[in-house]
Amino acid sequence: MKYSKHTLLVGDSATQFAKEMGFMEEDLHTNRSLKIWNDWKKTECQPNFRKNVNPNPSKSCGPYKPEKNRLKNSDNDNITGHDTIGMLAIDSHGNIAGGTSTNGLNHKIPGRVGDSPIAGAGFYADNTVGGAAATGDGDVMMRFLPSYQSVEYMRQGVSPTKAAQMSISRIVKYYPTFNGAVISLNIRGEYGAACHGMKRFPFSVRGKTMPKVEVKYVDCVDKIPGIEDILG
């Protein structure tokens, strides 16, 4: 966005653009990452994120071809192991910023774009309202833009906690096995969080009256209440 009018570039052409803008191309492989990849190959490429292909992706490394006349949809394959960290901050001038740091999903299909770079999915911030960040199953979250949704709920006067709960509720309605969490922060410094698919979710808070960072916990529930229940 600094050097073009576009919002998002991906793939080989994005790499070429970065090199033209002065970025150095580096080999990011390490001995550890190579070992993880070799171990993955030895276990028939598991976990595997392909579906509706032959040979069976749960038992084979391919190469794959589309499976005809047997398309199946499933949201039950919650594969964990990724580590998105979301951050929200208010500076001394009242400006709100958000960001995410992630290694992404292990063994993802080449070319996959996660939720972190999608505006409103991984995080979202608006100086007039507040900010929000999300972590969990990014492929599901980007279909609902939970961070943007949380900010919009706060714009309507909803508290950060309820805003996070309502955003999670929208996802769970269609993906009941969803695993993830949302944190929210408004311009008054009030914060909240909600989660689903785990026992509880830890998040860290530091305010101007706090001498040090405090770790907070929010209990997750198997069934997120509906939006009407939260507002009621």
Side-chain angles (χ1 to χ4, degrees):
M1 293 174 68
K2 186 176 181 180
Y3 298 112
S4 82
K5 295 182 180 179
H6 300 312
T7 299
L8 187 66
L9 298 175
V10 300
D12 293 341
S13 296
T15 300
Q16 181 59 37
F17 179 82
K19 290 164 62 176
E20 292 171 358
M21 296 301 104
F23 284 86
M24 293 183 62
E25 188 171 14
E26 301 177 72
D27 184 352
L28 299 180
H29 292 101
T30 64
N31 290 335
R32 180 175 179 272
S33 69
L34 289 172
K35 182 182 184 303
I36 291 173
W37 183 82
N38 283 317
D39 290 345
W40 178 70
K41 295 286 285 187
K42 292 176 183 177
T43 56
E44 305 298 341
C45 299
Q46 300 305 308
N48 193 308
F49 294 91
R50 298 179 188 268
K51 65 179 184 178
N52 299 321
V53 295
N54 274 317
N56 188 336
S58 67
K59 300 177 180 179
S60 172
C61 292
Y64 306 103
K65 291 185 178 180
E67 186 177 59
K68 297 180 181 179
N69 304 320
R70 290 188 60 190
L71 296 182
K72 297 175 289 184
N73 290 313
S74 173
D75 64 307
N76 296 320
D77 301 324
N78 283 329
I79 303 174
T80 58
H82 40 297
D83 55 357
T84 302
I85 297 173
M87 292 171 281
L88 302 168
I90 306 176
D91 70 12
S92 58
H93 301 289
N95 297 308
I96 292 185
T100 60
S101 173
T102 178
N103 286 329
L105 209 59
N106 284 338
H107 314 304
K108 55 184 174 285
I109 298 172
R112 182 251 189 186
V113 176
D115 63 297
S116 293
I118 305 300
F123 72 94
Y124 193 78
D126 185 326
N127 263 5
T128 64
V129 182
T135 183
D137 188 339
D139 288 293
V140 170
M141 290 192 300
M142 72 171 72
R143 303 168 194 173
F144 295 86
L145 301 180
S147 297
Y148 170 80
Q149 196 64 59
S150 293
V151 173
E152 290 307 298
Y153 284 137
M154 290 190 290
R155 191 189 306 278
Q156 298 169 20
V158 174
S159 72
T161 296
K162 287 186 176 181
Q165 290 175 343
M166 292 164 72
S167 296
I168 291 288
S169 177
R170 293 171 67 98
I171 300 174
V172 175
K173 177 180 179 181
Y174 296 98
Y175 293 90
T177 62
F178 167 74
N179 182 302
V182 172
I183 58 173
S184 299
L185 172 73
N186 65 23
I187 55 176
R188 295 184 295 277
E190 299 167 338
Y191 58 86
C195 53
H196 186 267
M198 60 191 90
K199 289 185 178 180
R200 62 178 183 169
F201 177 71
F203 61 102
S204 300
V205 178
R206 176 73 185 269
K208 60 183 179 180
T209 61
M210 297 179 178
K212 60 181 181 179
V213 174
E214 296 182 9
V215 178
K216 307 288 186 179
Y217 293 89
V218 58
D219 291 328
C220 304
V221 293
D222 292 333
K223 182 179 179 182
I224 291 286
I227 293 176
E228 297 81 5
D229 298 325
I230 297 172
L231 291 176

